[in-house]
Amino acid sequence: MIFVKSEDLKYGMRLAKPIYNKSGVLLYDRDTKLTLQGIESVKNFGFLGLYILEPAEPAPPMTEEDIDFERFQTMAVFSIREELDSIIAGKQPGNLKRLVSAIMTNYGRLDHKIAFTQSLRSVTDYVYKHVINTAILSALISAQMKLAPVDQEELIGAALLHDLGKLMLPNKVREKYDDYDTNDLIIVKKFQNDGLGLLRAEPTIDTGVKRIISQMHKLEYSDGRGEDIGVILRATKILKVANVFDTMTCMKLSQPIKSEIAAVKYLLLNKDEYDEEVVGALIKSIKLLTPGVCIELTNKEKGLVIAENPENILRPMVLGFSTNKIYDLSNNGVYRRYQIVDIMKTMDNRVKIDKETLNEYLKQG
């Protein structure tokens, strides 16, 4: 499975992920071959690109839970768009609590891992899709950490509203998708403060939600109420991890997509910034190195995960493709010599030669 930018889509390419409309109605199923009309429709949707199956790659299996997850993502994005746009327009968000409740019901009470899949994003819907994913991740993590339901609801509400200010950013800054320079960060902080100002003025939004957001962005906020600072800080730690994980693994035009494993490694290495317990709860919430995932080892060999390691997700049992050797990374001696570099970016091992290089060889002949 590879990501192909909208401008590079070609007739006959097969979809790796389904596409739904705002009502959750399936428009294009997996393994559908793109037509010229379909490519034009995709561009009209404003997508940055699509996940495409490689020529010899079969469509990966999907459970009913996987299908429901992608459908829910789509419908929730349209809902949060209406809520955030209403707040910016100075109107009360009519269905925000209903959306919080839906996320809580679907993902705030799970006792098993789910396949967390990224959604397709465009310049116009990037913020909406980011906050939905962050809210779902926050719900999953908080379920693992056994937060009280009322605290979960405040956390999910904060996740949905934490990037309100980015919707008001100047286009030149907003189009950078979090890849900000120093000057951009000054602008972003100003607009995040403006966004918090809009939330502060909205009486239907809980105080705890506003406090979590202000704590996350390190902004000043006080309304004279004595909230439990311990609860607020714990929720903020969860929101920070969920926010960064989604930001790192989403699709960007400016740089290659990072895998979930790369994101988890980053979070684990930066323990001073990201709470270790929260990162552990994230790992227990989503499927990562499960059987069937193709990876690359430090010795350059590509392999297949054949057994998950529940004690340490980064140390599963791997079958090497070229040597047919089994690497049990749970064994300390083996792990000292071999580690997982990353998930394989492509299943296609053919040598790719560009047209210019090919023409040079033809001239020499």
Side-chain angles (χ1 to χ4, degrees):
M1 185 189 305
I2 55 175
F3 176 70
V4 179
K5 294 179 182 178
S6 292
E7 61 267 28
D8 296 328
L9 292 171
K10 292 181 173 58
Y11 178 88
M13 286 182 169
R14 296 178 299 136
L15 291 177
K17 292 179 180 289
I19 300 176
Y20 300 93
N21 69 8
K22 66 179 180 180
S23 301
V25 175
L26 183 67
L27 298 179
Y28 298 97
D29 203 352
R30 293 182 314 139
D31 213 13
T32 298
K33 288 186 177 181
L34 283 175
T35 61
L36 295 177
Q37 182 181 0
I39 293 172
E40 201 57 39
S41 296
V42 167
K43 291 178 179 177
N44 290 336
F45 290 154
F47 290 147
L48 299 178
L50 298 176
Y51 281 112
I52 297 295
L53 294 170
E54 296 184 83
E57 183 182 4
M62 286 185 75
T63 65
E64 283 299 318
E65 186 176 57
D66 298 338
I67 294 169
D68 288 342
F69 179 84
E70 294 194 356
R71 185 183 293 118
F72 181 86
Q73 273 182 322
T74 300
M75 296 171 68
V77 165
F78 285 100
S79 296
I80 195 60
R81 183 195 295 267
E82 292 178 359
E83 303 309 299
L84 297 184
D85 290 354
S86 291
I87 295 171
I88 290 173
K91 302 174 184 176
Q92 285 192 351
N95 295 304
L96 184 62
K97 290 186 181 297
R98 189 179 305 169
L99 181 55
V100 169
S101 178
I103 294 173
M104 178 76 172
T105 300
N106 283 282
Y107 304 107
R109 298 165 183 162
L110 292 183
D111 59 357
H112 61 276
K113 293 182 179 183
I114 69 165
F116 181 80
T117 54
Q118 281 290 4
S119 51
L120 304 167
R121 300 186 187 182
S122 67
V123 174
T124 55
D125 67 13
Y126 178 87
V127 172
Y128 306 113
K129 290 185 175 180
H130 169 62
V131 298
I132 287 296
N133 274 9
T134 303
I136 292 173
L137 286 166
S138 296
L140 291 168
I141 295 169
S142 63
Q144 283 290 335
M145 296 180 67
K146 303 190 184 310
L147 263 65
V150 64
D151 297 331
Q152 280 188 287
E153 289 178 357
E154 286 191 346
L155 168 61
I156 294 167
L160 291 172
L161 299 172
H162 78 280
D163 262 353
L164 178 68
K166 286 186 179 178
L167 290 173
M168 300 182 286
L169 284 170
N171 286 338
K172 286 185 178 179
V173 179
R174 186 175 170 184
E175 290 172 1
K176 294 185 178 182
Y177 307 107
D178 296 304
D179 298 321
Y180 306 127
D181 59 29
T182 304
N183 291 331
D184 294 332
L185 288 172
I186 295 171
I187 297 170
V188 170
K189 184 157 188 176
K190 175 196 178 301
F191 279 92
Q192 292 288 27
N193 213 346
D194 291 346
L196 183 61
L198 291 175
L199 297 178
R200 186 186 296 123
E202 177 47 59
T204 63
I205 297 173
D206 294 338
T207 303
V209 170
K210 300 171 186 176
R211 287 188 174 278
I212 294 168
I213 296 170
S214 64
Q215 180 68 33
M216 180 186 177
H217 294 311
K218 296 182 171 59
L219 301 173
E220 294 298 324
Y221 176 73
S222 175
D223 66 355
R225 297 185 186 183
E227 296 285 331
D228 185 342
I229 190 63
V231 171
I232 298 299
L233 290 175
R234 196 178 192 200
T236 304
K237 289 176 181 178
I238 294 173
L239 182 52
K240 280 182 65 177
V241 168
N243 173 66
V244 169
F245 182 83
D246 181 71
T247 300
M248 289 185 71
T249 57
C250 73
M251 289 174 288
K252 301 177 184 177
L253 285 174
S254 56
Q255 57 185 266
I257 306 164
K258 288 185 171 61
S259 72
E260 293 89 345
I261 294 303
V264 165
K265 284 183 176 181
Y266 173 82
L267 291 167
L268 289 172
L269 284 172
N270 290 275
K271 295 179 182 179
D272 292 341
E273 184 71 19
Y274 304 105
D275 186 87
E276 196 171 359
E277 181 188 3
V278 176
V279 178
L282 169 67
I283 292 170
K284 292 176 182 176
S285 301
I286 58 176
K287 295 177 182 178
L288 293 166
L289 290 173
T290 54
V293 173
C294 296
I295 55 88
E296 184 176 345
L297 296 168
T298 46
N299 64 347
K300 304 298 182 183
E301 181 165 17
K302 295 176 174 64
L304 182 77
V305 174
I306 57 175
E308 189 176 4
N309 183 348
E311 300 301 319
N312 187 330
I313 192 66
L314 299 177
R315 298 175 66 171
M317 191 173 290
V318 174
L319 174 65
F321 287 148
S322 61
T323 61
N324 208 33
K325 175 182 176 180
I326 291 179
Y327 299 86
D328 183 1
L329 301 183
S330 65
N331 182 294
N332 289 333
V334 175
Y335 189 71
R336 275 194 292 269
R337 298 174 61 194
Y338 311 105
Q339 298 91 44
I340 290 175
V341 176
D342 205 345
I343 295 171
M344 280 176 59
K345 301 290 190 302
T346 175
M347 290 291 288
D348 190 346
N349 291 318
R350 293 174 297 176
V351 176
K352 293 178 175 62
I353 302 177
D354 61 82
K355 289 184 178 179
E356 289 184 7
T357 304
L358 190 58
N359 288 333
E360 281 297 316
Y361 276 108
L362 290 172
K363 287 177 183 177
Q364 291 174 14

